[in-house]
C-alpha cells in the first residue's frame, strides 16, 4: 500500500516541482483545462493540442507525454499515432489513457489497441476500460466502468507483464501493477467520478511524475497517492462538485508548495551539516 503519509511518496512528489517537467499531451477538449491546471499545480509545464508540427516535434523535446484517446473528438488518428510514434522513437516516456475502450465502438477500440505498438510507459483508466484493453469482456458503459477496480487486477497484471508497461486501475482503491509488483493506493473522494476530466487529468499528472522520479512504476504510484490525498482534502472542505473541482487543484498546489519547502529545508540541512563537518576538520 502507498499513501501520502509515506515519506518517500512526499519526497518523490517534490521532485516534480524541483524539476519542472514540460509535459505535452493530446486530450479531449472537455478535459484539457483541468489537465493543464493539474499539471501547473504540481509544478509542471503543460502544452496540449495538435497544432501544426507539434505532434512531431513536441514529443521529442518534452519531458513526458500523455495521450487521452478521446482526443479523437478534435484530432485525427494520425495525429495521435504521430505523437506516440515520436515519443517512442525519442525515448520520451508516455502515458496512454484509453477512454471508453470496450464500450462497443469496435473501430475505435482497434485504433486504441494499435497505439500499444509504441510502448507506453504506463496505461491508466477505469476497470472496464483496462479489462477490455487487456482482451477481456467489454463491459464499459460509455466512459463509465461497470466493474470494481479490484476485479481488474488479475486481468491487467498479466497484460502489464506481457507488454512491459505499468497499468493503473482507478477506483475507490487504485491498483497499480507492472505484472510483478502490485500496489494499492486508497483514498480520494467519490466526487472524482462526478467532475469531468478528473481521471483524464490524472493521466497527465502520471506522465509528469514518471519523468520526475525516473521510474514508470514509482511515478505512477506517487501521482496516484498525491491525487488521492488532494481529493480527500478537497472533499473535506467542500460540498458540491463545482467547488470540489476548484479545491482539487488548490490542494494539489498546496501539496506542491509543501513538497518544495520540505525539499529546500532538506538541502539546507545537508549544506549545514557539510559546513559543520568542514569546520570540525579544519579545527
Amino acid at each position: 500500500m502507498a499513501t501520502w503519509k509515506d515519506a518517500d511518496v512526499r519526497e518523490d512528489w517534490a521532485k516534480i516541482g524541483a524539476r519542472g517537467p514540460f509535459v505535452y499531451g493530446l486530450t479531449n477538449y472537455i478535459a484539457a483545462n483541468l489537465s493543464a491546471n493539474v499539471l501547473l499545480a504540481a509544478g509542471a509545464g503543460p502544452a496540449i493540442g495538435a497544432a501544426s508540427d507539434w505532434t512531431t516535434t513536441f514529443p521529442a523535446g518534452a519531458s513526458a507525454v500523455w495521450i487521452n484517446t478521446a482526443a479523437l473528438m478534435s484530432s485525427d488518428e494520425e495525429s495521435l499515432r504521430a505523437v506516440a510514434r515520436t515519443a517512442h522513437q525519442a525515448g520520451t516516456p508516455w502515458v496512454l489513457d484509453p477512454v471508453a475502450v470496450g464500450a462497443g465502438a469496435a473501430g475505435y477500440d482497434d485504433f486504441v489497441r494499435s497505439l500499444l505498438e509504441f510502448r507506453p510507459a504506463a496505461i491508466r483508466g477505469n476497470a472496464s476500460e483496462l479489462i477490455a484493453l487487456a482482451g477481456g469482456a467489454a463491459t464499459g458503459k460509455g466512459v463509465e466502468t461497470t466493474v470494481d477496480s479490484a476485479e481488474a487486477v488479475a486481468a491487467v497484471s498479466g497484460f502489464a507483464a506481457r507488454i512491459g508497461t505499468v497499468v493503473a486501475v482507478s477506483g475507490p482503491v487504485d491498483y497499480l501493477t507492472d505484472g510483478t509488483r502490485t500496489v494499492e493506493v486508497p483514498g480520494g473522494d467519490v466526487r472524482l467520478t462526478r467532475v469531468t476530466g478528473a481521471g483524464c487529468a490524472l493521466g497527465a499528472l502520471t506522465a509528469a511524475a514518471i519523468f520526475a522520479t525516473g521510474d514508470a512504476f514509482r511515478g505512477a504510484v506517487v501521482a496516484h497517492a498525491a491525487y488521492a490525498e488532494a481529493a480527500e482534502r478537497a472533499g473535506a472542505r467542500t460540498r458540491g462538485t463545482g467547488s470540489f473541482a476548484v479545491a482539487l487543484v488548490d490542494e494539489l498546489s498546496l501539496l506542491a508548495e509543501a513538497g518544495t519547502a520540505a525539499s529546500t529545508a532538506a538541502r539546507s540541512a545537508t549544506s549545514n551539516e557539510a559546513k559543520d563537518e568542514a569546520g570540525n576538520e579544519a579545527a
Side-chain angles (χ1 to χ4, degrees):
M1 182 180 295
T3 72
W4 180 254
K5 294 179 180 178
D6 300 334
D8 56 345
V9 168
R10 297 193 301 272
E11 290 170 4
D12 282 341
W13 170 257
K15 293 175 182 177
I16 300 177
R19 297 181 179 176
F22 164 45
V23 184
Y24 172 63
L26 294 184
T27 190
N28 64 81
Y29 54 78
I30 298 170
N33 185 67
L34 183 59
S35 297
N37 284 335
V38 162
L39 285 171
L40 289 167
I48 298 174
S52 180
D53 296 334
W54 284 18
T55 61
T56 54
T57 55
F58 280 10
S63 305
V65 167
W66 93 100
I67 297 174
N68 177 307
T69 53
L72 289 173
M73 294 165 66
S74 54
S75 300
D76 59 23
E77 291 184 358
E78 183 48 40
S79 292
L80 271 67
R81 287 186 63 83
V83 171
R85 183 189 308 112
T86 303
H88 175 58
Q89 292 174 345
T92 304
W94 71 280
V95 174
L96 174 64
D97 189 336
V99 177
V101 161
Y108 171 79
D109 289 359
D110 288 344
F111 170 72
V112 175
R113 291 190 180 95
S114 76
L115 296 178
L116 298 176
E117 169 191 353
F118 303 113
R119 306 293 298 275
I123 304 170
R124 71 138 310 272
N126 66 42
S128 288
E129 292 165 347
L130 296 176
I131 289 172
L133 189 64
T139 62
K141 186 178 180 181
V143 298
E144 304 299 330
T145 186
T146 61
V147 182
D148 185 81
S149 54
E151 298 177 58
V153 175
V156 303
S157 179
F159 174 63
R162 187 167 68 252
I163 69 171
T165 192
V166 175
V167 177
V169 189
S170 294
V173 175
D174 297 337
Y175 292 90
L176 298 97
T177 182
D178 61 2
T180 301
R181 300 166 288 177
T182 299
V183 171
E184 299 178 18
V185 178
D189 189 282
V190 68
R191 280 169 287 184
L192 286 171
T193 65
R194 299 171 185 167
V195 172
T196 300
C200 305
L202 180 53
L205 186 62
T206 298
I210 287 173
F211 169 79
T213 61
D215 180 85
F217 187 78
R218 184 63 190 162
V221 169
V222 168
H224 283 70
Y227 211 63
E229 177 70 14
E232 282 194 358
R233 294 186 183 191
R237 65 180 179 88
T238 58
R239 295 179 61 187
T241 56
S243 57
F244 172 79
V246 173
L248 175 65
V249 176
D250 281 347
E251 294 298 338
L252 284 167
S253 70
L254 293 172
L255 292 183
E257 289 176 10
T260 300
S263 179
T264 300
R267 288 196 300 270
S268 178
T270 301
S271 176
N272 289 335
E273 288 175 4
K275 291 178 181 177
D276 289 343
E277 290 178 4
N280 291 334
E281 290 175 1

